[in-house]
Amino acid sequence: MTLFYNIDPFWFEWVFIPLLIFFARLIDVSMSTIRIIIIVNEKRVAASLLSFLEMFVWLVAVTQTLKNLSNIMCYIGFAGGFAVGTYIGMLIEKKLSMGIVLIRITTTEKDGHQLISFLKQHKFRITSVNAEGNFGKTNIIFTIVMRKEMNSVIDVI
């Protein structure tokens, strides 16, 4: 560790190591969120590779935390990295917009038939169920779309 010989021990122990732990946790928890999404989408090889990297980074964080058990800043870095990593993972997941969503539409009977025809013309896959509501006959229309297409489908509806 000749790279760190000129660093004041105080800064190394109380700032650098806790920051290292913080960023390691931020990275491994963010990767964990993405890995779960990849598993749901059945991308086995990508999920396995990401699992390896995630655990490698996690081991760095845990090792440094255990080496510095008397340093409360390491605990704060560990917990803070987990919290911020969860938040960052959610932001990344939102940007990736992976997965599918179910859109359920309830209409009046007359409007339902028009909407069903319109959706079919625009190549949306739909399932329609005739139903009875408080105000008479109605249609319930289900369509499953890619999550990144959800807003455009809702605009069409």
Side-chain angles (χ1 to χ4, degrees):
M1 290 275 231
T2 58
L3 176 67
F4 300 115
Y5 278 142
N6 294 331
I7 296 177
D8 180 3
F10 173 84
W11 287 102
F12 187 76
E13 182 179 342
W14 290 92
V15 177
F16 179 76
I17 295 296
L19 282 174
L20 172 74
I21 293 167
F22 175 85
F23 284 110
R25 288 299 285 156
L26 184 151
I27 291 166
D28 94 77
V29 173
S30 297
M31 282 195 283
S32 175
T33 304
I34 295 165
R35 178 182 48 84
I36 291 167
I37 296 163
I38 291 172
I39 288 170
V40 169
N41 287 303
E42 297 185 5
K43 296 180 180 357
R44 291 173 182 87
V45 174
S48 297
L49 291 173
L50 201 56
S51 295
F52 176 82
L53 291 172
E54 176 191 342
M55 281 300 102
F56 186 83
V57 174
W58 179 83
L59 278 172
V60 169
V62 169
T63 301
Q64 288 304 314
T65 303
L66 292 175
K67 281 183 178 179
N68 295 282
L69 288 175
S70 62
N71 185 345
I72 189 70
M73 294 305 292
C74 291
Y75 294 102
I76 292 170
F78 194 89
F82 185 84
V84 175
T86 300
Y87 184 79
I88 298 293
M90 290 167 53
L91 291 177
I92 293 169
E93 188 274 335
K94 188 174 182 177
K95 290 288 183 192
L96 291 175
S97 293
M98 298 175 89
I100 58 174
V101 292
L102 168 70
I103 299 175
R104 180 179 47 216
I105 309 151
T106 305
T107 67
T108 64
E109 185 177 27
K110 179 183 172 193
D111 294 336
H113 293 299
Q114 292 172 348
L115 182 58
I116 290 167
S117 297
F118 181 81
L119 291 171
K120 284 180 180 178
Q121 287 173 0
H122 287 85
K123 307 288 188 233
F124 289 109
R125 296 173 54 190
I126 61 122
T127 300
S128 173
V129 178
N130 293 324
E132 183 83 27
N134 284 350
F135 304 107
K137 295 191 182 292
T138 184
N139 290 99
I140 302 172
I141 305 164
F142 299 94
T143 185
I144 297 174
V145 297
M146 296 304 293
R147 195 163 128 206
K148 58 185 152 197
E149 299 171 353
M150 180 179 72
N151 289 332
S152 62
V153 173
I154 290 172
D155 290 343
V156 167
I157 294 169

